[in-house]
Amino acid sequence: MSTVLTLDSIQLAFGMQPLLDGANLRVEHGERVALLGRNGEGKSTLLRLVTGALEPDAGDVSVPEGMRVAELPQELPEKRDLTAYQVVAQAFPETGRLLERFNELSMTASNEDDLKQMQQVQERLEALDGWLYDQRIRTVLEQYRINPDARLDTLSGGWQRRVLLAKAMVTDPDLLLLDEPTNHLDVPAIQWLEGALGQFQGAVLFVSHDRAFIRAMATRIIELDRGALTSWPGNYDQYLEAKDKALADEERQRAEFDRKLAQEERWIRQGVKARRTRNQGRVKELEAMRAERRQRRERSGKAKIEVEDAGRSGKLIAEAQQAGFAWDQSQPLIHNLDFMLLRGDKIGVIGENGSGKTTLLKLLLGDLEPTEGEIRRGTRQEVAYFDQLRGKLDPEKSAFENLSEGRETVEVNGRSRHVMGYLQDFLFTPERARTQVRMLSGGERARLLLAKLFSQPANILVLDEPTNDLDVDTLELLEAQLVEFKGTVIVISHDREFLDHVAGSVLFLDGRGGVHETIGGFSDWRREGGQFPAEQGTVSSGGNGRRSGSGGGAAQSSSSRAAPASGSGSNKLSYKYKLELEQLPQRIRDLEARVAELHEEVSDPGFYQQENDRVQKILGELSDKESELESAMERWVELEEMASG
């Protein structure tokens, strides 16, 4: 395989701490490389280095001569009054302008000067093989089923992203760069993207936190951690296993280093007589160890998410009877809805873009009233809303000001917390907390909104696309908190794995007014035969982003309220049991390690020479941990049998 990208000893810093510290990377033709790392580590910055938008402080970014690099940017275009053809033609700057001008003149030429200018444009196009480029643009648009005359501002976010991918692909790149390509895409669009990238013959380097997308696409994982790039061969699951082992090894090595350093520090502080005869080689070794310890970069901690509980709502959250909603005289977005939402339910809402997911939320919560039927709502409801468009953040104010709203403290579960300390729970350093929101990364804005959301007393959490821009560690913590939350959770998401981990049932909007419920997460909906309209019908080439075809293969009509996911008689694990099963292996490993430590301590010849209280305390802990380990093993076997039953 030929190399399409090399990063050699890259140094880049915007402050005291380098984002890239001697980073090295090589990408080969045909690879699909996922670039992972926590928010703020510098993943998007690295992509900008590859495109040449940034220059490193030191080191070399090398793309072999003749290799073409294209990118699918994270943000949608600001200029939306262009046609799909015009956007894709921008991939060939001069040729694109000439083609646009020729098409314009061919429609409007009315005098000899226009015809003369048209001839000049045509001659220049022929010199540049412009008609070949015109054919290539139209072929790619047809391949992606995009109407070349469709204006960008008439397309959904998913279709705009498809146009941008066509712009990237039309150059036939050797290396394609993707920055969070699944953000704001619905599931059919994500699956279409997976298929398109699967057929691409060049190399792909992409940043994503969508675990299902990473599993489907990545042939290798590259992790950016504390300024260094580490390559992890194999798929995402192999990376997770190897990464856990590497972190454990690093922790042991650092503990051993710190133990030895402490021992040497004690030695150097011995009395005057010892200093006169001190081994100078050992002194120099200690100085080297001190220097190494000063240069150590600690791995940033995990966010600490704690939900402010507003107390219990009434048992009933909302009950819809033959309810529906339509704007003016248009076709109903929601029709004939029979559904009951109860306290403690964890509901995932899925459907194609434009199918009415946000409208359904507003109906259930009382922000909209039905235009047909009725919806009865419960009492004592305190709703906290996570806004997909981040509209609740003032971009000109700092993160601190956005959260504090003039206060110095926030109240979280009965405890007063200083705003700065609370923001540190969400991984904001004092410097970043004082930074204007417009200067924060997408991941930092998402974490700030979560901090703002969870500082409000709530017994109903509504999250509209909460996973966009969050790193995997924060995602997993958010999942755990939502599962443990005693109130009601409603989540709109296209993140398939997130829904599997959080949702007790899924509401599917079929795009024709129907709402259908399936017990379990996204995978359960799939197993029950769930399909999106785009998967049943054909995608129109009209460019308006609407799909034709029948409804979505729902497993269960919304007219009946199914039993809870944890109800008896089901051999499928509920979301809570799934989470417990996932966490048990680590708990067992921790208990085994602690039992081994205690056994080693008890086996020491001098153990029983200690004070009796100390001896009894250690023996008691050993007995307790052995019992906990036995119970954990039994529980693990029980849940495994339930999962496979």
Side-chain angles (χ1 to χ4, degrees), residues 38 300-304 422-429 432 444 447 471 474:
R38 292 187 169 185
S300 58
K302 288 190 176 183
K304 301 174 184 176
Y422 179 66
L423 280 171
Q424 287 177 352
D425 287 350
F426 290 82
L427 306 184
F428 284 91
T429 63
R432 297 306 286 173
E444 287 173 319
R447 275 192 274 116
D471 61 43
T474 307

Side-chain angles (χ1 to χ4, degrees), residues 332-405:
L333 276 172
I334 309 293
H335 178 62
N336 199 28
L337 174 65
D338 287 299
F339 176 69
M340 185 180 294
L341 181 64
L342 301 177
R343 181 181 64 228
D345 282 348
K346 308 288 194 295
I347 302 294
V349 182
I350 60 175
E352 295 181 5
N353 289 335
S355 60
K357 299 185 293 296
T358 302
T359 300
L360 175 62
L361 286 189
K362 291 181 176 180
L363 283 172
L364 293 175
L365 298 175
D367 294 335
L368 285 176
E369 292 299 328
T371 55
E372 62 180 65
E374 64 174 333
I375 296 180
R376 185 165 62 95
R377 301 179 186 91
T379 59
R380 302 190 302 277
Q381 298 184 359
E382 294 286 345
V383 180
Y385 197 97
F386 185 98
D387 179 13
Q388 177 186 4
L389 300 179
R390 315 292 190 256
K392 294 187 177 181
L393 299 177
D394 186 335
E396 299 305 315
K397 291 183 178 179
S398 69
F400 183 96
E401 292 167 332
N402 267 277
L403 179 62
S404 68
E405 297 178 342

Side-chain angles (χ1 to χ4, degrees), residues 114-393:
D114 288 345
L115 292 173
K116 184 177 180 181
Q117 185 179 357
M118 187 173 169
Q119 182 178 355
Q120 291 172 343
V121 171
Q122 182 175 349
E123 289 172 354
R124 181 58 181 158
L125 279 171
E126 289 172 351
L128 294 172
D129 284 334
W131 304 120
L132 180 64
Y133 287 112
D134 175 70
Q135 182 181 0
R136 186 185 298 179
I137 292 167
R138 296 186 183 280
T139 299
V140 170
L141 286 168
E142 183 179 356
Q143 177 186 350
Y144 287 2
R145 291 177 283 188
I146 301 169
N147 182 345
D149 298 321
R151 279 171 47 118
L152 217 60
D153 54 11
T154 67
L155 302 179
S156 68
W159 278 86
Q160 290 183 47
R161 187 60 58 92
R162 190 181 290 217
V163 172
L164 292 178
L165 183 62
K167 177 184 174 182
M169 291 295 204
V170 75
T171 62
D172 192 20
D174 299 284
L175 173 62
L176 179 63
L177 307 176
L178 309 173
D179 195 355
E180 294 291 357
T182 65
N183 275 5
H184 310 298
L185 297 187
D186 58 23
V187 174
I190 292 172
Q191 292 177 328
W192 174 86
L193 178 62
E194 290 172 354
L197 294 176
Q199 297 173 9
F200 177 56
Q201 299 300 310
V204 180
L205 176 61
F206 68 95
V207 173
S208 180
H209 298 128
D210 185 327
R211 291 158 292 182
F213 181 78
I214 296 170
R215 281 191 172 90
M217 298 308 305
T219 59
R220 179 162 63 108
I221 305 294
I222 296 292
E223 184 180 36
L224 178 55
D225 182 17
R226 290 164 283 181
L229 288 170
T230 307
S231 177
W232 303 86
N235 60 32
Y236 182 63
D237 291 309
Q238 291 170 323
Y239 152 76
L240 291 176
E241 184 176 345
K243 178 65 176 177
D244 282 344
K245 183 179 183 302
L247 286 175
D249 290 343
E250 178 185 9
E251 198 170 315
R252 281 194 295 271
Q253 290 167 7
R254 287 191 167 188
E256 176 61 24
F257 178 91
D258 291 344
R259 185 194 64 77
K260 185 177 180 183
L261 177 60
Q263 177 181 311
E264 294 300 291
E265 293 287 5
R266 285 194 298 270
W267 170 79
I268 200 72
R269 290 193 296 271
Q270 288 176 356
V272 175
K273 182 178 179 181
R275 280 200 293 271
R276 285 200 298 267
T277 59
R278 186 158 298 143
N279 182 325
Q280 291 304 307
R282 191 170 175 182
V283 172
K284 290 180 180 179
E285 183 180 347
L286 173 58
E287 290 172 351
M289 291 179 71
R290 286 171 172 171
E292 182 179 343
R293 182 63 184 84
R294 284 194 298 271
Q295 293 170 5
R296 179 192 295 178
R297 288 183 66 173
E298 300 293 345
R299 184 172 168 82
S300 58
K302 288 190 176 183
K304 301 174 184 176
I305 298 176
E306 187 176 2
V307 183
E308 168 70 352
D309 192 351
R312 295 173 63 172
S313 65
K315 183 176 181 181
L316 176 70
I317 303 300
E319 182 180 13
Q321 295 179 340
Q322 301 293 300
F325 184 85
W327 296 103
D328 300 325
Q329 302 300 315
S330 61
Q331 180 179 344
L333 276 172
I334 309 293
H335 178 62
N336 199 28
L337 174 65
D338 287 299
F339 176 69
M340 185 180 294
L341 181 64
L342 301 177
R343 181 181 64 228
D345 282 348
K346 308 288 194 295
I347 302 294
V349 182
I350 60 175
E352 295 181 5
N353 289 335
S355 60
K357 299 185 293 296
T358 302
T359 300
L360 175 62
L361 286 189
K362 291 181 176 180
L363 283 172
L364 293 175
L365 298 175
D367 294 335
L368 285 176
E369 292 299 328
T371 55
E372 62 180 65
E374 64 174 333
I375 296 180
R376 185 165 62 95
R377 301 179 186 91
T379 59
R380 302 190 302 277
Q381 298 184 359
E382 294 286 345
V383 180
Y385 197 97
F386 185 98
D387 179 13
Q388 177 186 4
L389 300 179
R390 315 292 190 256
K392 294 187 177 181
L393 299 177

Side-chain angles (χ1 to χ4, degrees), residues 604-623:
D604 189 282
F607 174 75
Y608 289 96
Q609 306 303 317
Q610 304 177 87
E611 293 182 4
N612 185 59
D613 288 346
R614 166 73 177 167
V615 170
Q616 294 304 317
K617 181 181 178 182
I618 296 298
L619 292 175
E621 184 184 358
L622 176 58
S623 177

Side-chain angles (χ1 to χ4, degrees), residues 473-527:
D473 286 341
T474 307
L475 269 178
E476 291 175 346
L477 184 59
L478 176 60
E479 289 170 352
Q481 287 296 320
L482 294 180
V483 168
E484 294 301 322
F485 181 56
K486 302 300 182 186
T488 305
V489 177
I490 308 173
V491 179
I492 294 177
S493 182
H494 302 305
D495 188 321
R496 294 155 284 182
E497 192 155 333
F498 186 80
L499 288 172
D500 279 343
H501 291 170
V502 172
S505 63
V506 167
L507 295 180
F508 166 63
L509 283 75
D510 61 20
R512 298 178 297 117
V515 182
H516 312 271
E517 184 179 22
T518 300
I519 299 304
F522 182 86
S523 298
D524 298 289
W525 175 73
R526 279 294 199 202
R527 278 193 291 270

